[in-house]
Amino acid sequence: MYRIGEFAEMTGLTKETLRYYAQIELLVPVFVEPRNKYSYYDNNSFLVARLLVYLRRFDFSIQEMLTVVHERSLDELEEILREKKVALRQRIADTEAIISEIDGFLEMEE
């Protein structure tokens, strides 16, 4: 088992992020020492933490991450990522449309 500082180093998450994830029940320590409240994580926690790092890099919101961890099976991860890709492409298209509208507006001013 790994204490929170060691686990933070291993995963690339900060201790503050780990505490926040524990508070919202996204990544809960496997054991909390009752006397000193030290949090401990295990190898399974490491895999979940690394997944969370990637999900954040892939622009998943906290709510989406909660859904992935608690409501969806990791067997569905490929499908989840494909859905996210579609959503990101749509966001790019929407942003490009807004940029075109801005360009059109600016051309009217000239």
Side-chain angles (χ1 to χ4, degrees):
M1 296 219 297
Y2 311 101
R3 285 183 45 186
I4 192 169
E6 183 181 14
F7 193 71
E9 272 186 45
M10 291 170 52
T11 61
L13 297 168
T14 65
K15 289 191 280 187
E16 293 77 19
T17 298
L18 289 169
R19 287 185 188 106
Y20 175 66
Y21 285 178
Q23 179 184 359
I24 64 170
E25 298 182 2
L26 184 57
L27 177 60
V28 179
V30 293
F31 178 71
V32 176
E33 175 64 49
R35 291 175 293 139
N36 56 23
K37 304 292 184 209
Y38 286 170
S39 298
Y40 293 88
Y41 297 85
D42 62 7
N43 290 333
N44 188 51
S45 302
F46 176 78
L47 297 175
V48 174
R50 291 305 301 157
L51 173 63
L52 295 175
V53 168
Y54 278 105
L55 293 179
R56 287 302 288 159
R57 285 182 51 204
F58 298 157
D59 201 38
F60 278 68
S61 68
I62 294 294
Q63 187 57 51
E64 288 172 320
M65 291 165 58
L66 283 163
T67 299
V68 168
V69 170
H70 294 298
E71 297 175 22
R72 305 278 301 261
S73 159
L74 290 182
D75 293 336
E76 298 176 86
L77 187 56
E78 187 175 336
E79 177 187 342
I80 293 165
L81 293 175
R82 289 184 194 284
E83 291 169 3
K84 186 63 171 184
K85 229 168 94 171
V86 168
L88 288 170
R89 283 196 173 120
Q90 183 60 52
R91 199 163 83 198
I92 289 168
D94 293 346
T95 301
E96 287 175 344
I98 292 168
I99 289 169
S100 291
E101 287 183 41
I102 291 171
D103 288 341
F105 181 80
L106 291 173
E107 287 173 8
M108 287 188 325
E109 294 293 312
E110 295 173 355

